[in-house]
Amino acid sequence: MKQTGFDNEKYLQTQSEHIRKRIAQFGGKLYLEFGGKLYDDNHASRVLPGFQPDSKLQMLLQLKEQVEMVIVINADDIEKNKIRGDLGITYDRDVIRLIDVFRGFGLYVSSVVLTRYAEQNMAKAFQNRLEAMDIKVYHHYDIEGYPSNITHIVSEEGYGKNDYIETTRQLVVITAPGPGSGKMATCLSQLYHEYQRNISAGYAKFE
């Protein structure tokens, strides 16, 4: 008798319901960091029979009207032409690819954040390309003492010097082309700015 190793439909329903509850728990706004690959998670589909490479994306489509996508990329990775190993393309090209994929599914991609920004030439050129696609671009900077000097980090000279990302929806999904892009720091920076504006918001990580 065959048994289902992974029920993809149940996964979609259960996870989307838990996210709705988490949004309500934090007062109506949630920054959700996605660990691993959001769209083409071929590794997960290999090790977990029944899981589809786009299962995470399909789960977000259950919440489509509430979702806003923000893509994070390290400006140093742009300057170094860092390559995504599984696809053989640079991180900046992958950001463009992901924008096209998300938009193709009808998801709202509001902005891209350039982290560790220091006016790198290639990062500035990439920003021009994004803005030509009607994508807003924000800058986040190196913070002295990060991540140990909490008092400095959670201050006007820490998170406070980062651009505040203007968002309009309840569920803000933070994703990136690869590790080391600054997803968690982006979420925490936003929480700092939201609370400075007396806006209740929360953070969660989706693995």
Side-chain angles (χ1 to χ4, degrees):
M1 182 176 70
K2 291 185 177 180
Q3 292 184 335
T4 302
F6 181 85
D7 189 331
N8 202 64
E9 191 59 37
K10 184 176 181 180
Y11 168 85
L12 299 179
Q13 295 174 358
T14 303
Q15 294 289 11
S16 58
E17 182 57 34
H18 278 296
I19 290 172
R20 288 188 182 96
K21 290 179 180 178
R22 191 63 64 90
I23 292 171
Q25 175 186 342
F26 287 116
K29 193 174 192 73
L30 177 67
Y31 287 91
L32 185 62
E33 174 194 351
F34 267 81
K37 297 176 178 66
L38 174 53
Y39 173 57
D40 37 16
D41 198 342
N42 294 306
H43 173 70
S45 67
R46 283 195 300 271
V47 300
L48 191 58
F51 186 91
Q52 300 300 314
D54 66 345
S55 286
K56 295 175 185 176
L57 186 61
Q58 291 298 328
M59 182 273 295
L60 284 181
L61 292 176
Q62 311 284 314
L63 305 159
K64 185 173 169 181
E65 299 307 315
Q66 297 170 274
V67 173
E68 177 170 347
M69 310 293 293
V70 175
I71 305 175
V72 178
I73 181 171
N74 186 325
D76 286 336
D77 289 342
I78 300 172
E79 204 70 13
K80 295 172 185 174
N81 282 313
K82 188 171 182 179
I83 300 289
R84 180 169 159 169
D86 56 341
L87 298 178
I89 62 174
T90 58
Y91 273 26
D92 56 338
R93 282 184 60 196
D94 193 39
V95 169
I96 301 297
R97 184 186 70 93
L98 290 173
I99 291 170
D100 289 340
V101 167
F102 297 151
R103 284 178 166 178
F105 279 97
L107 290 167
Y108 171 47
V109 183
S110 65
S111 58
V112 168
V113 182
L114 304 180
T115 62
R116 307 199 72 172
Y117 183 74
E119 298 191 5
Q120 297 92 331
N121 289 332
M122 291 180 67
K124 290 194 289 185
F126 184 55
Q127 176 170 341
N128 291 337
R129 184 177 178 187
L130 291 170
E131 290 174 340
M133 298 170 61
D134 199 28
I135 296 288
K136 289 183 180 179
V137 177
Y138 297 97
H139 301 148
H140 284 189
Y141 305 94
D142 278 338
I143 298 175
E144 186 178 352
Y146 189 91
S148 56
N149 189 346
I150 305 300
T151 301
H152 178 70
I153 294 165
V154 186
S155 74
E156 280 300 309
E157 297 304 314
Y159 287 143
K161 70 178 182 180
N162 288 338
D163 290 344
Y164 172 58
I165 306 165
E166 299 284 349
T167 59
T168 58
R169 298 194 178 181
Q170 290 182 306
L171 178 59
V172 183
V173 171
I174 307 294
T175 189
S181 297
K183 292 178 292 185
M184 182 177 179
T186 297
C187 291
L188 297 181
S189 178
Q190 279 298 104
L191 291 188
Y192 172 86
H193 283 281
E194 298 287 22
Y195 278 91
Q196 290 293 105
R197 292 162 172 77
N198 294 316
I199 298 172
S200 295
Y203 161 77
K205 184 171 182 179
F206 189 102
E207 285 289 359

